[in-house]
Amino acid sequence: MINKKKFIAVIGGSQPSAEEARLAEEVGRELAGRGAILVCGGLGGVMEAACKGASSQGGITIGILPGDSRQAANSCVQIPIVTGIGYARNIAVVKSAQAVIAIGGSYGTLSEIAHALQSEIPVIGLNTWSLSRNGQPDNSIIPVQDPTEAVDKALNLAVS
Amino acid sequence: MINKKKFIAVIGGSQPSAEEARLAEEVGRELAGRGAILVCGGLGGVMEAACKGASSQGGITIGILPGDSRQAANSCVQIPIVTGIGYARNIAVVKSAQAVIAIGGSYGTLSEIAHALQSEIPVIGLNTWSLSRNGQPDNSIIPVQDPTEAVDKALNLAVS
Amino acid sequence: MINKKKFIAVIGGSQPSAEEARLAEEVGRELAGRGAILVCGGLGGVMEAACKGASSQGGITIGILPGDSRQAANSCVQIPIVTGIGYARNIAVVKSAQAVIAIGGSYGTLSEIAHALQSEIPVIGLNTWSLSRNGQPDNSIIPVQDPTEAVDKALNLAVS
Amino acid sequence: MINKKKFIAVIGGSQPSAEEARLAEEVGRELAGRGAILVCGGLGGVMEAACKGASSQGGITIGILPGDSRQAANSCVQIPIVTGIGYARNIAVVKSAQAVIAIGGSYGTLSEIAHALQSEIPVIGLNTWSLSRNGQPDNSIIPVQDPTEAVDKALNLAVS
């Protein structure tokens, strides 16, 4: 059954560095290889690289789109969800996952990290944001060194 | 490829009559039998009956949920999308489909019909709302007599 | 205190007939003259005509916008709310009001009527949609003959 | 005209420290005293303290609520906007403002900061989050020392 599988979101920018794109593709490949379903924002950059990696292993990819057209999805999204709600779809991306892997990213990714942490969904970070609050470090984003460790942590933490 | 399949939404109330539930289950069964992917609001009533029918044929079922928890999905939803945006998820339900089949339903269903028509997504109706505007009938909802005709029409019209 | 005033939504199309625009302006004028606050979708057509009428009487006008820019508001909106959520803002328009006056309108207006009825917010109709469900008339939209009667009914019903 | 005034959002947690509440009230007082309109999330804590301060100076206060009821607004909200979209309303809070003042806050506030920065809306910070990306400080949040400086900066930067 699909709904017994783990749903893991991969978030990151639409204009990643070459290294970030490589990391995202590797994360997608590992997730699919280990039976997880990939959730993302459905567009380009990190989202597309992760979908490409997952698709190469026969994995299922879900793209939760901000706009009004399924045509906006990258070509490796198998299940396009068309929300029409703009950046508010960022919330649906993280809430639809049991753990989140953030790779690089700009303010949109930061908003997704914040919404995930607010919803108590674990966030694993690869070369991404770090936070401090009132001068004290906030260590809620779990740092990892490579895609394999990211996927290990995400699958271990995806329990609810 | 999943994304070459047709995505059809089934909408209707959470407290259907026995007849409406029977129609919804039959619609779900036909959709899955003919290779379509079922999109719905993920909760009970017509949504659950349609998912049950689709699942009985090995079909894929997507439930776009209003609340904050995947646990709210009916047991036949395979891909729960957790939006956290309340009834605004009605818009995502219809926009994620290429055609919509409405079965019975109350004001929530009527809102979905309206959002679909506004987005120029075909709506097929089984025992559901009919509309007139300024005293003139609006025939945008395509009436059908039974589940087979509903699925025929939906698949024919699901082109974009 | 502003928040003791009644909040009334005026909904209708962005391309009204001349008669609908006249009705909307008169409704706006009456609402403001009787101390109510006007809520609308903030754009052109019926929304703009109603805001123009209300402004002519010194009333307060709220425009709940679908897009990302306050610049999209019509020039008689005093309080632009910028949602960025597209047509999902239709829900906020009606939920922010204690009663709704619908004037003409197309499917967007129909979606607002449906969301209002689902939320048990009274809907008064001037030359707008009428509904039937499963062949039986649904009389939830309260028909009125003119702007004065519309405003009378809206203010009487705006109790919660 | 109200719509010539500046719209400034005050964001922060619902369970602030006593010092944060004092800062928020002072910010609200200064904003109203200088003719700005206060936008906030409409609930308790920093939101309520800011509304209280603004109201004490006769200012206008807008509360953009996550839920389905205007009754949830704090008693100093004059214009309750009822969105029904949950935390997605955070986006509307910042987009409806021309500048944002963040006071303390947890992950919800962080999401609002991120959405504001993504939309290129200036963010002024009082005892709030600080950010770094990939190990490099991101100085987009403008730090200030006290409420007067926060309001000065917000009004100066609120140009679009």
Side-chain angles (χ1 to χ4, degrees):
Chain A
M1 286 289 289
I2 295 177
N3 69 353
K4 299 301 180 204
K5 292 178 182 282
K6 293 189 170 173
F7 286 65
I8 308 293
V10 176
I11 62 175
S14 53
Q15 300 186 313
S17 68
E19 170 67 1
E20 289 166 348
R22 192 191 63 74
L23 292 169
E25 187 172 343
E26 179 63 19
V27 164
R29 199 154 38 218
E30 290 256 357
L31 283 171
R34 294 168 67 175
I37 290 180
L38 173 66
V39 181
C40 73
L43 301 177
V46 158
M47 299 169 263
E48 185 164 18
C51 287
K52 189 177 167 194
S55 293
S56 74
Q57 301 298 308
I60 292 177
T61 58
I62 300 171
I64 302 180
L65 296 160
D68 292 309
S69 167
R70 61 175 50 231
Q71 312 302 338
N74 73 62
S75 65
C76 297
V77 168
Q78 291 169 3
I79 300 191
I81 303 294
V82 182
T83 68
I85 57 171
Y87 288 123
R89 78 76 150 85
N90 291 10
I91 299 173
V93 170
V94 297
K95 282 187 183 285
S96 296
Q98 294 160 295
V100 174
I101 299 171
I103 301 170
S106 185
Y107 300 119
T109 302
L110 179 61
S111 77
E112 293 174 312
I113 290 171
H115 287 296
L117 294 174
Q118 187 178 29
S119 298
E120 302 186 2
I121 297 166
V123 178
I124 291 97
L126 261 173
N127 301 356
T128 191
W129 291 94
S130 55
L131 309 172
S132 64
R133 183 165 20 169
N134 236 329
Q136 302 299 315
D138 173 304
N139 296 314
S140 301
I141 302 172
I142 301 163
V144 291
Q145 299 306 316
D146 60 53
T148 303
E149 190 186 357
V151 172
D152 281 347
K153 283 254 170 36
L155 292 177
N156 280 338
L157 291 168
V159 289
S160 66
Chain B
M1 287 288 289
I2 295 177
N3 68 353
K4 299 300 181 206
K5 291 177 183 281
K6 292 190 171 172
F7 286 66
I8 309 293
V10 177
I11 61 175
S14 53
Q15 301 187 313
S17 67
E19 170 67 2
E20 289 165 349
R22 190 189 66 73
L23 292 169
E25 187 171 343
E26 180 63 18
V27 164
R29 199 154 38 218
E30 290 256 358
L31 284 171
R34 295 170 64 177
I37 290 180
L38 173 66
V39 181
C40 73
L43 301 178
V46 158
M47 299 169 263
E48 186 164 16
C51 287
K52 189 177 166 194
S55 293
S56 74
Q57 300 298 308
I60 292 177
T61 58
I62 301 172
I64 302 180
L65 296 160
D68 292 309
S69 168
R70 61 175 50 230
Q71 312 303 337
N74 73 61
S75 66
C76 296
V77 167
Q78 290 168 3
I79 301 192
I81 304 295
V82 183
T83 67
I85 56 172
Y87 289 122
R89 77 78 152 82
N90 291 11
I91 299 172
V93 170
V94 296
K95 281 186 184 285
S96 297
Q98 295 160 293
V100 173
I101 299 171
I103 302 170
S106 185
Y107 299 119
T109 302
L110 179 61
S111 78
E112 293 173 313
I113 290 171
H115 287 296
L117 294 175
Q118 188 177 31
S119 298
E120 302 185 1
I121 298 165
V123 178
I124 291 97
L126 260 173
N127 301 356
T128 189
W129 292 93
S130 55
L131 308 172
S132 63
R133 184 167 17 171
N134 237 330
Q136 302 299 315
D138 175 303
N139 296 314
S140 302
I141 303 173
I142 300 162
V144 291
Q145 299 306 318
D146 58 53
T148 302
E149 190 187 357
V151 172
D152 281 347
K153 283 253 171 37
L155 292 177
N156 280 339
L157 292 168
V159 289
S160 66
Chain C
M1 286 289 289
I2 295 176
N3 67 354
K4 299 301 181 204
K5 293 177 183 282
K6 292 188 171 173
F7 286 65
I8 309 293
V10 176
I11 62 175
S14 54
Q15 300 187 314
S17 68
E19 170 67 1
E20 289 166 347
R22 192 190 64 73
L23 292 170
E25 188 171 342
E26 180 63 18
V27 163
R29 200 154 36 219
E30 291 255 359
L31 283 171
R34 296 170 66 175
I37 291 180
L38 173 66
V39 181
C40 72
L43 300 178
V46 158
M47 299 168 263
E48 186 164 18
C51 288
K52 189 177 167 195
S55 293
S56 74
Q57 302 297 308
I60 292 177
T61 58
I62 300 170
I64 303 180
L65 295 160
D68 291 310
S69 166
R70 60 175 51 230
Q71 312 302 337
N74 73 62
S75 66
C76 296
V77 167
Q78 291 169 4
I79 301 192
I81 304 295
V82 183
T83 68
I85 56 172
Y87 288 122
R89 77 77 152 83
N90 291 11
I91 299 173
V93 170
V94 298
K95 281 187 183 285
S96 296
Q98 295 159 294
V100 173
I101 299 171
I103 301 170
S106 184
Y107 299 119
T109 302
L110 179 61
S111 78
E112 293 173 312
I113 290 171
H115 287 297
L117 294 175
Q118 187 177 31
S119 298
E120 301 186 2
I121 297 166
V123 178
I124 291 97
L126 260 172
N127 302 355
T128 190
W129 292 93
S130 55
L131 309 172
S132 63
R133 183 166 18 170
N134 236 331
Q136 302 298 315
D138 174 303
N139 297 313
S140 301
I141 303 173
I142 301 163
V144 291
Q145 299 305 318
D146 59 53
T148 303
E149 190 186 358
V151 172
D152 281 347
K153 283 254 171 37
L155 293 177
N156 280 339
L157 292 168
V159 290
S160 65
Chain D
M1 286 290 289
I2 295 176
N3 69 353
K4 299 301 181 203
K5 292 178 183 281
K6 292 189 171 173
F7 286 65
I8 308 294
V10 176
I11 62 175
S14 53
Q15 301 187 314
S17 68
E19 170 66 1
E20 289 166 348
R22 191 190 64 74
L23 292 169
E25 188 171 343
E26 180 63 18
V27 164
R29 199 154 37 219
E30 291 255 358
L31 283 171
R34 295 169 67 175
I37 290 180
L38 173 66
V39 181
C40 73
L43 300 178
V46 159
M47 298 169 263
E48 185 164 19
C51 288
K52 189 178 166 192
S55 293
S56 74
Q57 302 296 308
I60 292 177
T61 57
I62 300 170
I64 302 180
L65 296 161
D68 291 310
S69 168
R70 60 177 49 231
Q71 313 301 337
N74 73 62
S75 65
C76 297
V77 168
Q78 291 169 4
I79 300 191
I81 303 295
V82 182
T83 68
I85 56 171
Y87 288 123
R89 77 77 150 85
N90 291 10
I91 298 172
V93 170
V94 299
K95 281 187 184 285
S96 296
Q98 294 160 295
V100 174
I101 300 172
I103 302 170
S106 185
Y107 300 119
T109 302
L110 179 61
S111 77
E112 293 173 312
I113 291 171
H115 286 296
L117 295 174
Q118 188 178 28
S119 298
E120 300 185 3
I121 297 167
V123 178
I124 291 97
L126 261 173
N127 302 356
T128 190
W129 292 93
S130 55
L131 309 172
S132 62
R133 183 165 20 170
N134 235 330
Q136 303 298 315
D138 174 302
N139 296 313
S140 302
I141 303 173
I142 301 162
V144 292
Q145 300 305 318
D146 58 55
T148 303
E149 190 186 358
V151 172
D152 281 347
K153 283 254 171 37
L155 293 177
N156 280 339
L157 292 167
V159 289
S160 66

